[in-house]
Amino acid sequence: MVTVVVIYSFVIPLTNVFVVLGGAVALGGLVYLLVLLKTDRGGIRDELKELIMGLGIPPWPGVL
């Protein structure tokens, strides 16, 4: 996550601190979520699948 945030700070110029930091936090959180779901042994993924199915949202093929 730190690597992604450092690369982000080099790519995006520092024009507005709040926009840059907000974008970096959002991007870092997204990377963390994806890594967490990739390394999950089934617990979180199964709970998310049950929640999505319970809400009536069709699951994305291959994602959950």
Side-chain angles (χ1 to χ4, degrees):
M1 188 167 91
V2 172
T3 306
V4 172
V5 171
V6 168
I7 292 171
Y8 176 84
S9 68
F10 283 120
V11 173
I12 305 297
L14 184 62
T15 55
N16 186 345
V17 175
F18 297 114
V19 172
V20 171
L21 289 179
V25 169
L27 184 62
L30 179 66
V31 168
Y32 176 75
L33 178 68
L34 292 175
V35 167
L36 183 66
L37 287 177
K38 267 302 198 199
T39 60
D40 182 32
R41 298 284 183 214
I44 297 172
R45 187 176 297 157
D46 291 340
E47 289 180 15
L48 283 175
K49 190 172 187 178
E50 288 177 17
L51 178 66
I52 288 174
M53 296 298 283
L55 291 173
I57 302 170
W60 299 277
V63 174
L64 296 174

